Structures are given as C-alpha cells and as structure tokens.
Amino acid sequence: MLFQPARNNKTMPDRHDLKLLLRSRTPLIAVQSRDERAVLKMLTEHAIGGFAASHQPLFRWSVTDGLQRLDIELAPQTLNSEPQDVLGHIRSVEKPAIYALLDFHPYLQDPLFIRKIKDICMKFADNGGKLIMISPVLKIPDELKHFSANFELSVPNEARRAEIVKEVAREWREDNAGRQVRSDARALDLLVRNLAGLSALDVRRLAHNAIVDDGVIDQADIQAVMQAKYKLLNQDGMLTFEYETARFADVAGMRSIKEWVSRRRNAFLGKQQRVGLDPPKGLILLGVQGCGKSLAAKATAGALGTPLLRLEFGNLFNKYHGETERNLRESLKIAETMAPCVLWIDELEKGLSSSDDNTGTSQRVLGAFLTWMAERKPGVFVVATANDIGKLPPELVRKGRFDEIFFVDLPDESTRADILNIHLARREACTDRIDSTAVAASTHNFSGAELEQLVVSAFYAADADEQTLSTTHLLDEATRTSPLATVMAEKVHELRAWAEGRTVPAN
C-alpha cells in the first residue's frame, strides 16, 4: 500500500476551547502538556488576528531566552530572563497582553513568586490580560486556583492520527529521493489504532520511528510502537508491560477458559456488532497456588492478540493520604490509553482486603476501582487472579462486576501428563524414552509449578549421574517432593469447598 499526501484536518476543537478561555475573564490558564509548540502555535494564530474580538500582543518567556514577543518578530529580551524579573515586568505594564510562561512550575514553590502572580491575576481580572503557564508537569498552588482554569490539548482522533502518519510518510519520501513508504492495509490500520491516546507530538515521533529505518510499516513496527507507547505513559512504573505473552497451546487443560475467551474474542475487538452482544469485561481466576493462573492470564492476551499490562495492587499503596487512589487512577488511565489490551491484576486480594487496614485506604481503593469498572469504556479486558477469595469484598465478586469466575484446581492425571510433556519439550528432552503417563500417575496433588520444578530437578539429577534424562529420574524426584496441596491440605479443601457451586471449573 502506497501513501498519499495528507489532507488538512478541518476539525479544531482545541482552537475553539482556547478561544473561549481567552475571551473569558480568567486571568491564569494552566496548560499541562509536553507539546508546547502546538499551544504556542494556537496562541500565535490568535494574536496575529485569528479569533479574538480585540488584539492583544503575545509574549513568550523561558529562563533561557527571556521575554520575546511572538505576534511580531522581535528579539528576545534577555534582561527579563530571571523569573522574578519577568514577573516584575508583567506586573508593571499597564497595557493588557498575553504572557506564555514556559516551564515555570519549579518556581511555584516560592511564596514570593506566588504573591506576585496573585497580584498579576487580580490586575488581569480587570483589564483582560492573560498569564498562561505551559509545562509538562504543573500543579497550581491553592492560593492561585481561584484565578485559574485548565486547558488540555485533546488527543488526535483516528482520522487525525492517520493524517499524521501520512505526513510523516510524505516527509520520509521527500528525504529519500521519492521512494514510497510501503505497508499493507492491516499494518497501517494497526499502527493508527495503537497510537490512540497519545498527543499529536508523540504520534508523530512514534510514526517516524516506525518508518525511518526502512520505509516499511510491518508487524515488528507495531510491537515496537506499543512498547514505546507504554514507556511514554508509565512514568511512575506502577504497571508492567509483559512483552512475552503465551499461546493457549502452551497451557495444559483449562478447556473451559479457552472456549470462553475464544467465543468472545471478536466481540472484544469490535469485529462482531450483533445487537445485544455486549463486549466482555473480564474474568477472575481463583485457584490453588502454582496451578497456572498467571499463565492463563498471559495466554488470554495472546488469544485476544492484544498487549498485556500487569498491575500488582500491593504496589499501589502509599503512606501519604490520597496517593494510593491517585496511583490506581493513573494506572487505569494508562490501561485505557493502551486499549485494546488485557489488564492483569495479580493477587487482587492483597490490594482490596480491608482486614488489616485501619486507615480506610482499602475501602477508598475499592470504591475507585468499582467506579471505574462501572464507567469504563470497552477495550480493557480485566483478568484478575486471586488465591484467597475469602479476603475479597462481596461487592467485587458479585455478578456484573466480572463476566465470570473460574476456579483453577490442581491438574488431573491427564493434564499432569500434558504439563510434563510441555516442560520436557521446552528443554529438548528425548520424550520417546520417558513415560510421562507413569510420572503423572505418581504425582497426585502436584501443581503445574511443582511439575515444572520436578522436571528441572530431574535434569540436574541426570546431569549428576552423567546420564540422559529418564523416567526413573523423574519418579525418584517425585518421591522426594511433598506438594503444597498435601502440606496445606486443609486450606486447599476450604478453597475447593467455597468454589464449588460458586465458580466455573477451568478444566
């Protein structure tokens, strides 16, 4: 597929919203954005006769260049490069103007600067001047919030993202002697779709990264774009991007889960628009430790063909009031931006159990999570894993929150043989010489994780004997192992008793 030149985007919601703010009597406008060029461009269009009832000069300030007028070409005033100087200058000028302060956020901790800005705001509230702060990180002090309004650049929609990709392709063609960027329709569609949620600046940068090496957009570029997108969004490191997802073919047993996910794949990806068919929300995997819940979560992402994000609720908690809830909201916002994706919440009970919490944090986190579950848009499929359902609040596990609760029990004999064969094949063992059926019969109550370690230990034993791995090595190691389900039989029995009649067997 060859790219054609992009057409101009005719929809300008940001320009309209900024126009309303500039016409208002709000003296301080806070813009939290990394794309300061886009904001300054709109302000310049306004200042040189675009969309204001009366003309006001536009000035830009940075600590490196000082104060510079933008609506007409004038050199920067380096004498006003210090923040105290520029605030003093703005405060002394009688004629109303628009002042865009770049990266002023470090100075908002100083009480003297806050007072000067407050004086400016009171003056601008009368004469119509504007103080605009543009920074990638921006928190307006409480003393100034009464005078301020927030302006946020909207993220480009699908049509605009497609145009940006085409613009980047055209630039590449001009730099490469007229060669066309090559792509098929599916790869181009995936690239445009996976750039959703990013600013125009980041869309352009990631599109450039996908094209610049070879002038081809293919599946490898899509994966690289998703990883780069995740790194851009996940600055606090609360989420983990799982680069390696599994295939359901790598998961022994779990026939019910495989069938359930397979039936809902098209509906989740928006490929099935049948009336009354709601997109799936997610599922809970409850079960005995080491029986493959984590592997099933990875395989679900593999089956849906989407990125897998992992969130450990225990990592969200912060000693400062409100920070835990903020961490959760930011993580869920990232997941929505990465959509379509699978959000794997590992050990759900550790974050929502209120038995050991005297501060009320767990209840607030639960409330925030339930609100998100009820109001979120389609595109984030939640897979929550838990070992102790008794610690989860009943309002979370009732029908409607998740689509289904599956119970992942200890593998039966047939599944144990499949698990053994999978781990033997991964380690390139000669399976013709190994009777996995006999080993499976002698490993009652073994979990999948314990079967894997059994194979590992048997390999070490064979290496010590300077022999090829055999059935005898596996059987000998099995007799030396006491599985967790035997050591903690009471807890396993209690878990099974709760799951019976309340959950769907995974196998």
Side-chain angles (χ1 to χ4, degrees):
M1 177 179 180
L2 301 181
F3 284 84
Q4 301 298 323
R7 293 174 296 177
N8 292 328
N9 186 25
K10 296 181 180 179
T11 58
M12 299 181 180
D14 290 338
R15 193 171 182 269
H16 173 74
D17 293 343
L18 185 59
K19 170 185 175 180
L20 295 179
L21 278 177
L22 292 172
R23 284 184 170 180
S24 73
R25 283 290 180 174
T26 304
L28 176 60
I29 300 174
V31 185
Q32 183 170 316
S33 174
R34 293 194 300 269
D35 196 355
E36 63 183 39
R37 286 185 178 181
V39 181
L40 289 173
K41 180 181 178 182
M42 285 190 290
L43 290 172
T44 304
E45 289 172 353
H46 155 74
I48 61 177
F51 46 91
S54 60
H55 174 78
Q56 288 184 351
L58 170 66
F59 295 89
R60 178 193 65 188
W61 174 88
S62 70
V63 73
T64 52
D65 291 335
L67 198 63
Q68 180 181 15
R69 188 164 177 177
L70 295 184
D71 55 318
I72 57 177
E73 293 186 9
L74 292 177
Q77 301 174 20
T78 54
L79 69 158
N80 285 321
S81 60
E82 292 299 321
Q84 63 268 25
D85 295 333
V86 73
L87 291 179
H89 172 78
I90 295 172
R91 192 168 173 235
S92 65
V93 174
E94 292 300 324
K95 183 179 179 181
I98 300 171
Y99 296 91
L101 308 183
L102 307 183
D103 294 332
F104 202 84
H105 59 280
Y107 309 110
L108 293 177
Q109 307 297 320
D110 191 316
L112 177 61
F113 291 162
I114 293 174
R115 181 64 240 185
K116 285 188 175 183
I117 294 171
K118 188 174 181 179
D119 291 341
I120 293 170
C121 287
M122 288 189 290
K123 179 180 178 179
F124 280 179
D126 294 330
N127 69 14
K130 291 288 181 289
L131 198 63
I132 302 177
M133 294 188 179
I134 308 171
S135 298
V137 179
L138 187 58
K139 186 178 186 302
I140 298 298
D142 292 339
E143 299 92 327
L144 303 176
K145 285 183 178 179
H146 177 70
F147 300 98
S148 69
N150 294 322
F151 174 74
E152 184 176 353
L153 284 176
S154 62
V155 296
N157 59 21
E158 185 172 355
R160 179 57 186 145
R161 294 196 305 274
E163 288 188 358
I164 293 174
V165 173
K166 291 177 181 179
E167 288 169 6
V168 173
R170 182 182 59 193
E171 292 166 4
W172 186 91
R173 184 185 63 204
E174 292 172 354
D175 292 338
N176 288 270
R179 289 172 54 200
Q180 293 282 359
V181 173
R182 291 182 291 110
S183 175
D184 58 65
R186 183 175 182 275
L188 176 59
D189 177 68
L190 282 173
L191 176 63
V192 171
R193 179 152 51 100
N194 288 331
L195 289 170
L198 296 178
S199 68
L201 179 69
D202 289 332
V203 169
R204 181 174 297 277
R205 181 146 54 94
L206 295 190
H208 178 268
N209 292 346
I211 292 172
V212 67
D213 284 342
D214 52 10
V216 177
I217 298 175
D218 54 22
Q219 189 59 43
D221 293 315
I222 308 304
Q223 183 69 12
V225 162
M226 290 305 293
Q227 293 176 11
K229 178 180 176 180
Y230 161 75
K231 290 176 181 177
L232 277 173
L233 297 171
N234 192 36
Q235 299 294 322
D236 293 330
M238 293 295 169
L239 287 172
T240 303
F241 191 104
E242 298 288 327
Y243 294 102
E244 297 296 333
T245 55
R247 299 177 303 132
F248 265 136
D250 299 327
V251 182
M254 302 195 189
R255 287 181 288 273
S256 297
I257 297 178
K258 293 175 181 177
E259 182 179 350
W260 191 94
V261 172
S262 177
R263 285 180 175 178
R264 288 159 177 79
R265 183 179 186 275
N266 286 339
F268 174 71
L269 297 176
K271 297 179 180 179
Q272 197 166 316
Q273 303 295 336
R274 192 172 300 174
V275 176
L277 202 60
D278 296 332
K281 302 173 183 176
L283 51 87
I284 293 179
L285 299 177
L286 167 70
V288 182
Q289 291 186 19
C291 287
K293 299 186 295 297
S294 299
L295 183 60
K298 293 180 179 181
T300 299
L304 295 175
T306 63
L308 176 63
L309 303 178
R310 180 179 179 181
L311 174 63
E312 294 190 37
F313 256 32
N315 292 342
L316 296 174
F317 282 75
N318 189 293
K319 65 180 180 180
Y320 295 108
H321 182 78
E323 283 299 298
T324 301
E325 301 93 295
R326 186 189 68 81
N327 290 339
L328 175 63
R329 287 192 297 269
E330 288 298 315
S331 297
L332 296 176
K333 183 179 179 181
I334 290 170
E336 288 184 329
T337 305
M338 292 289 291
C341 68
V342 171
L343 177 62
W344 169 23
I345 302 178
D346 197 18
E347 297 185 322
L348 181 65
E349 71 273 23
K350 287 188 176 180
L352 297 180
S353 172
S354 58
S355 58
D356 301 321
D357 179 25
N358 297 320
T359 65
T361 301
S362 292
Q363 285 300 310
R364 293 195 301 272
V365 169
L366 173 62
F369 184 63
L370 293 179
T371 300
W372 177 78
M373 290 283 288
E375 298 177 354
R376 65 186 164 130
K377 298 177 181 178
V380 180
F381 186 86
V382 180
V383 178
T385 59
N387 295 318
D388 189 350
I389 197 73
K391 291 185 177 180
L392 290 177
E395 57 265 44
L396 180 66
V397 297
R398 72 163 177 82
K399 283 289 186 180
R401 302 295 188 193
F402 290 86
D403 297 311
E404 196 58 86
I405 302 176
F406 286 96
F407 181 66
V408 184
D409 205 347
L410 293 165
D412 56 25
E413 186 173 326
S414 173
T415 305
R416 291 199 298 273
D418 291 339
I419 293 172
L420 287 166
N421 287 330
I422 288 173
H423 289 300
L424 290 168
R426 283 181 183 172
R427 292 163 177 81
E428 299 181 356
C430 183
T431 54
D432 293 341
R433 301 183 55 186
I434 297 173
D435 187 353
S436 57
T437 302
V439 179
S442 65
T443 51
H444 179 65
N445 274 351
F446 274 59
S447 67
E450 289 164 339
L451 291 169
E452 181 179 10
Q453 289 306 308
L454 172 66
V455 172
V456 172
S457 298
F459 264 103
Y460 276 110
D463 183 66
D465 295 341
E466 297 183 354
Q467 296 178 2
T468 303
L469 181 69
S470 66
T471 304
T472 301
H473 291 114
L474 291 164
L475 291 173
D476 288 345
E477 292 301 321
T479 60
R480 298 189 182 99
T481 303
S482 295
L484 182 67
T486 300
V487 175
M488 305 185 68
E490 296 80 6
K491 284 189 173 294
V492 173
H493 176 75
E494 182 182 344
L495 185 59
R496 283 173 166 168
W498 186 95
E500 188 173 359
R502 294 185 174 99
T503 63
V504 176
N507 201 16

